[in-house]
């Protein structure tokens, strides 16, 4: 293998999200979020873990940025906690909340690290959930106001802004499956939720542009390839259906301005109809699409629970494959398929891979973490990404999930995704071997053999 050189100016970054790392849950006037409520509800998160302290990044951000600089990170994707900025989700911004992000952004710029801010990485103000959350159409207006506030306060210094992180995941797992906040289980209500998510995205893009016309805006999608579990025609049809329900529910309206006919047919027994005017709002032209990818899904035909059964097969194991600590199959071609699809079916948008990475056990020994499995994972996915670019995909950058080990939602602190190890009792940070390896890739802008 020869060295794989990446295009000039390719961005090398890492990502986190507010609730997963910040802590400081009751500081600076921060309001309650649905993830505070959910994680404090017994039985929802493994070991009863919460984000109250997490990586204490709220207090340690300056040291964290200094470490990013030392390790040569080119860009950093973080998220803004809506309940820090608007504690009850509405009304005038809370200065202390905005100030935290303003200081973070300044520290990043001073360190030569390009900031990418995600507006919504799942921590909805609880007060808005009490009014229905994404089940209420009002969420589009609430979110647009908040987006405008953040764009006004930080938009002069951000390099990119992302509206929503993974509509697919927080929509379905938060409002149908119930394993993520707010823990609602309402299949029949989902078509409204999904549409309001799309609408909130479109309104937020408009609000950001009204404040900062030149700030690049995108959305981060997790749209894994849906593979049939067997060669049967039923499974193939089920995989296409689930692809429409899970992936195209968001990809198509946002990028093509229409819901897929297969999906509308699936939803027609529920009496779902979407106003045409909404689609014009949803399909705002974007500057880039964020791709979050970890693996593929398997789908099996199941007559009684046609759509949800597909999720049960997420952890289907196959002989000869390797898996991460999440039980996710290591499959670089999953990322490749997503990138190829955006190029072929969605007009070849500019793309940033906004999340990709792996959880492994990562023990610390003598102050070091030899995470060869993570290095191998990243190498495999980056090589496949390189090929997608050679095939014509317009990928401009890549962000590892994650910069730090952190609160992995319903798994709590039991899963470690970081390039940097966190010892939670002492908050000691230890860069893993993968952090140094990644720094070298970034420095050379190339993957060595
Ligand atoms: C994604 C989330 C991110 C992290 C990774 C492992 O779905 O966006 O916050 O939990 O999975």
């Amino acid at each position: 293998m020869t060295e794989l050189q990446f295009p000039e100016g390719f961005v090398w970054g890492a990502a986190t999200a507010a609730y997963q790392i910040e802590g400081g849950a009751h500081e600076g006037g921060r309001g309650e979020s649905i993830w505070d409520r959910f994680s404090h509800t017994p039985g929802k998160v493994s070991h009863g873990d919460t984000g109250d302290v997490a990586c204490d990044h709220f207090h340690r951000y300056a040291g964290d940025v200094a470490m990013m600089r030392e390790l040569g990170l080119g860009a950093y994707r973080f998220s803004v906690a809506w309940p820090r900025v608007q504690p009850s989700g509405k009304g005038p911004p809370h200065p202390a909340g905005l100030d935290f992000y303003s200081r973070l952004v300044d520290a990043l710029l001073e360190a030569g690290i390009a900031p990418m801010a995600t507006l919504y990485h799942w921590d909805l103000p609880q007060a808005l959930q009490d009014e229905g959350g994404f089940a209420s159409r009002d969420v589009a207006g609430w979110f647009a106001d908040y987006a405008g506030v953040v764009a006004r306060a930080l938009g002069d210094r951000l390099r990119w802004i992302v509206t929503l992180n993974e509509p697919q995941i927080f929509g379905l797992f938060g409002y149908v499956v119930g394993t993520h906040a707010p823990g609602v289980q309402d299949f029949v209500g989902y078509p409204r939720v999904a549409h309001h998510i799309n609408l909130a995205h479109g309104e937020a893009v408009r609000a950001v542009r009204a404040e900062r016309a030149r700030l690049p805006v995108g959305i981060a999608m997790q749209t894994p390839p849906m593979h049939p579990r067997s060669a049967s025609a039923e499974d193939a049809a089920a995989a296409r259906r689930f692809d429409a329900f899970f992936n195209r529910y968001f990809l198509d309206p946002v990028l093509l301005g229409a819901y897929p006919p297969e999906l509308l047919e699936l939803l027609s027994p529920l009496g779902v109809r979407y106003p045409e005017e909404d689609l014009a709002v949803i399909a705002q032209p974007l500057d880039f699409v964020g791709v979050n990818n970890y693996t593929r899904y398997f789908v099996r035909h199941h007559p009684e629970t046609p759509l949800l059964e597909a999720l049960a097969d997420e952890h289907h194991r196959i002989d000869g494959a390797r898996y991460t600590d999440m039980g996710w199959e290591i499959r670089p071609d999953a990322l490749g398929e997503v990138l190829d699809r955006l190029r072929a079916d969605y007009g070849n948008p500019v793309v940033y891979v906004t999340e990709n990475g792996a959880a492994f056990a990562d023990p610390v020994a003598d102050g070091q973490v030899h995470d060869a499995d993570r290095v191998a994972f990243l190498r495999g996915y980056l090589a496949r990404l390189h090929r997608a670019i050679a095939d014509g995909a317009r990928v401009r950058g890549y962000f590892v999930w994650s910069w730090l080990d952190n609160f992995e939602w319903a798994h709590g602190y039991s899963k470690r995704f970081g390039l940097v190890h966190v010892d939670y009792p002492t908050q000691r940070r230890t860069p893993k071997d993968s952090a140094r390896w990644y720094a070298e890739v970034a420095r050379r802008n190339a993957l060595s053999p």
Side-chain angles (χ1 to χ4, degrees):
M1 180 181 145
T2 52
E3 183 169 88
L4 299 179
Q5 190 68 42
F6 281 76
E8 207 190 311
F10 194 80
V11 171
W12 297 98
T16 63
Y19 190 72
Q20 296 179 276
I21 67 162
E22 282 181 3
H26 306 292
E27 282 171 75
R30 177 181 173 282
E32 188 190 15
S33 81
I34 55 174
W35 267 98
D36 294 303
R37 180 70 64 92
F38 189 77
S39 66
H40 280 273
T41 306
K44 298 298 185 191
V45 174
S46 80
H47 305 113
D49 291 346
T50 73
D52 287 3
V53 177
C55 306
D56 195 32
H57 174 76
F58 184 71
H59 297 110
R60 293 168 193 262
Y61 75 93
D64 286 338
V65 172
M67 188 175 269
M68 289 176 203
R69 187 217 294 256
E70 255 166 60
L71 288 163
L73 208 67
Y76 176 56
R77 173 177 177 236
F78 63 96
S79 82
V80 175
W82 187 346
R84 278 197 197 286
V85 172
Q86 290 173 301
S88 66
K90 299 181 202 173
H94 191 62
L98 278 175
D99 185 56
F100 168 67
Y101 296 106
S102 188
R103 283 181 283 124
L104 172 64
V105 168
D106 285 345
L108 290 166
L109 293 175
E110 218 167 282
I113 299 166
M116 174 184 280
T118 303
L119 288 166
Y120 186 70
H121 203 127
W122 306 355
D123 43 1
L124 189 76
Q126 180 63 42
L128 297 184
Q129 183 58 37
D130 295 342
E131 292 187 52
F134 282 90
S136 165
R137 190 179 164 98
D138 292 341
V139 74
W142 301 329
F143 187 56
D145 283 348
Y146 158 69
V149 164
V150 175
R152 197 174 317 137
L154 307 178
D156 54 333
R157 288 161 291 156
L158 295 174
R159 172 89 167 269
W160 312 268
I161 197 162
V162 171
T163 56
L164 302 173
N165 183 67
E166 299 183 348
Q168 304 63 21
I169 305 288
F170 82 79
L172 208 60
F173 291 92
Y175 289 85
V176 178
V177 183
T179 49
H180 280 197
V184 171
Q185 293 179 305
D186 179 13
F187 183 75
V188 172
Y190 187 62
R192 292 172 58 78
V193 167
H195 185 63
H196 297 155
I197 290 174
N198 283 324
L199 204 55
H201 158 76
E203 293 288 11
V205 174
R206 295 218 285 208
V208 167
R209 293 236 166 91
E211 292 293 337
R212 302 283 174 186
R214 290 199 308 276
L215 175 60
V217 192
I219 183 169
M221 297 273 197
Q222 181 167 178
T223 57
M226 299 299 172
H227 288 181
R229 173 81 178 254
S230 78
S232 76
E234 284 87 2
D235 283 358
R240 272 196 308 277
R241 271 199 311 274
F242 193 62
D243 180 53
F245 184 67
F246 193 87
N247 291 329
R248 298 179 63 198
Y249 216 140
F250 304 94
L251 282 176
D252 284 32
V254 168
L255 299 177
L256 304 176
Y259 284 104
E262 296 91 318
L263 174 69
L264 295 176
E265 202 178 297
L266 223 58
L267 299 176
S268 65
L270 299 175
V272 176
R273 285 192 58 254
Y274 294 128
E276 203 48 50
E277 318 81 81
D278 288 357
L279 282 142
V281 175
I282 293 167
Q284 299 298 309
L286 295 179
D287 298 292
F288 65 94
V289 176
V291 166
N292 294 2
N293 178 262
Y294 293 90
T295 191
R296 62 172 160 179
Y297 283 21
F298 281 103
V299 187
R300 177 169 38 140
H301 176 64
H302 196 280
E304 280 95 68
T305 49
L307 293 168
L308 297 179
E309 176 63 19
L311 288 176
D313 264 14
E314 189 195 349
H315 296 301
H316 169 57
R317 297 220 170 201
I318 49 176
D319 289 345
R322 282 171 308 122
Y323 294 85
T324 69
D325 208 27
M326 295 291 284
W328 296 346
E329 184 194 357
I330 300 175
R331 187 171 169 93
D333 210 40
L335 174 60
E337 272 189 58
V338 175
L339 297 174
D340 293 351
R341 178 185 206 180
L342 285 170
R343 174 170 53 78
D345 301 343
Y346 292 93
N348 201 13
V350 167
V351 166
Y352 289 85
V353 175
T354 34
E355 284 183 27
N356 174 241
F360 293 109
D362 294 342
V364 187
D366 296 333
Q368 309 217 10
V369 182
H370 300 306
D371 57 340
D373 35 16
R374 182 170 292 99
V375 170
F377 178 100
L378 296 174
R379 180 185 284 286
Y381 279 73
L382 283 172
R384 183 60 185 85
L385 166 61
H386 187 273
R387 195 167 100 219
I389 295 173
D391 289 342
R394 298 201 290 153
V395 186
R396 301 291 189 250
Y398 173 90
F399 293 74
V400 175
W401 184 272
S402 174
W403 175 244
L404 297 172
D405 288 342
N406 61 48
F407 176 83
E408 176 48 32
W409 308 115
H411 298 279
Y413 298 99
S414 66
K415 304 294 177 195
R416 296 184 175 273
F417 273 93
L419 294 174
V420 174
H421 183 278
V422 177
D423 177 60
Y424 295 106
T426 61
Q427 292 294 342
R428 187 183 304 114
R429 272 69 163 146
T430 306
K432 303 176 191 176
D433 288 357
S434 59
R436 299 212 174 74
W437 174 85
Y438 187 61
E440 187 58 15
V441 172
R443 198 184 60 75
R444 300 161 66 103
N445 196 33
L447 202 56
S448 59

